[in-house]
Amino acid sequence: RMAGKLREEFSSRLVAHYKEVSGPKWHWLEDSVTYDNAKIPQALIMTGRWTNQPEMLEVGLKMLKWLSKHQTAKAGHFRPVGSNGFWKRGGKPAIFDQQPLEAHAMVCACLEAYDASGDDDWLAQAGRAFEWFDGGNDLGLPLYDAQSGGCRDGLHIDLAQRSVMRDGA
């Protein structure tokens, strides 16, 4: 019971922050988008569903839709906000260093959004974020190695330079 009460209280605080900070072009609850971003809308979607709070669910879906739109490159692949500067309101999102936990968080949040809404577009968004690991990213390089089971710790601009040097181009 205590965990449920805390979940509702903290989620309500997130919605209140969203109402204070968001605007017509900024559907976020802070003046910056930083790290593990999709977890916040995912938490609101889950709590809104589980506690039958439609406004909370709506805010979570709106935030996730906005985040997803801004984490899609013009070429159509997933491009998370980079940790080398993040994204401050009024500025531009950092392109690099892209972190694997951002792709993971987006996959999880989109699957939760699909479960909540039944909208197939969320499945497509989850798939695009998952493809980031396999080369569907700004550098076209896989971060996951199926042979070893390992994953690089991020997508960095110097990976492109090393790849070019290794391939002899």
Side-chain angles (χ1 to χ4, degrees):
R1 290 189 176 239
M2 179 60 87
K5 286 181 182 182
L6 289 173
R7 177 182 66 201
E8 285 188 56
E9 179 185 334
F10 294 150
S11 296
S12 293
R13 286 184 193 177
L14 292 174
V15 171
H17 284 297
Y18 173 81
K19 289 178 179 180
E20 290 173 22
V21 176
S22 67
K25 294 184 180 182
W26 188 261
H27 294 284
W28 204 243
L29 63 131
E30 298 176 299
D31 285 327
S32 60
V33 176
T34 57
Y35 204 67
D36 210 7
N37 298 300
K39 288 297 183 188
I40 294 171
Q42 179 185 5
L44 294 176
I45 293 166
M46 291 173 72
T47 301
R49 278 181 71 198
W50 294 350
T51 61
N52 195 25
Q53 295 184 57
E55 180 187 30
M56 188 174 292
L57 172 62
E58 182 183 325
V59 168
L61 289 169
K62 184 182 272 189
M63 287 177 67
L64 186 60
K65 185 174 186 176
W66 177 83
L67 183 64
S68 179
K69 175 184 172 191
H70 289 287
Q71 290 193 137
T72 300
K74 288 184 182 179
H77 59 267
F78 178 68
R79 175 189 285 159
V81 173
S83 63
N84 190 8
F86 298 115
W87 181 17
K88 294 184 173 111
R89 188 178 198 155
K92 294 186 178 188
I95 295 175
F96 294 101
D97 297 334
Q98 298 175 19
Q99 302 297 308
L101 92 154
E102 296 294 344
H104 173 263
M106 184 59 79
V107 169
C108 294
C110 289
L111 292 176
E112 188 66 38
Y114 171 74
D115 284 345
S117 69
D119 184 345
D120 287 341
D121 187 52
W122 290 117
L123 292 178
Q125 300 287 343
R128 190 178 70 244
F130 187 80
E131 290 169 3
W132 179 88
F133 289 101
D134 201 28
N137 54 55
D138 284 318
L139 301 180
L141 298 173
L143 280 85
Y144 171 70
D145 182 344
Q147 286 184 314
S148 71
C151 183
R152 291 186 178 272
D153 67 348
L155 188 65
H156 311 275
I157 190 65
D158 65 329
L159 285 178
Q161 296 162 346
R162 282 188 279 187
S163 179
V164 168
M165 290 168 36
R166 184 180 64 237
D167 294 341

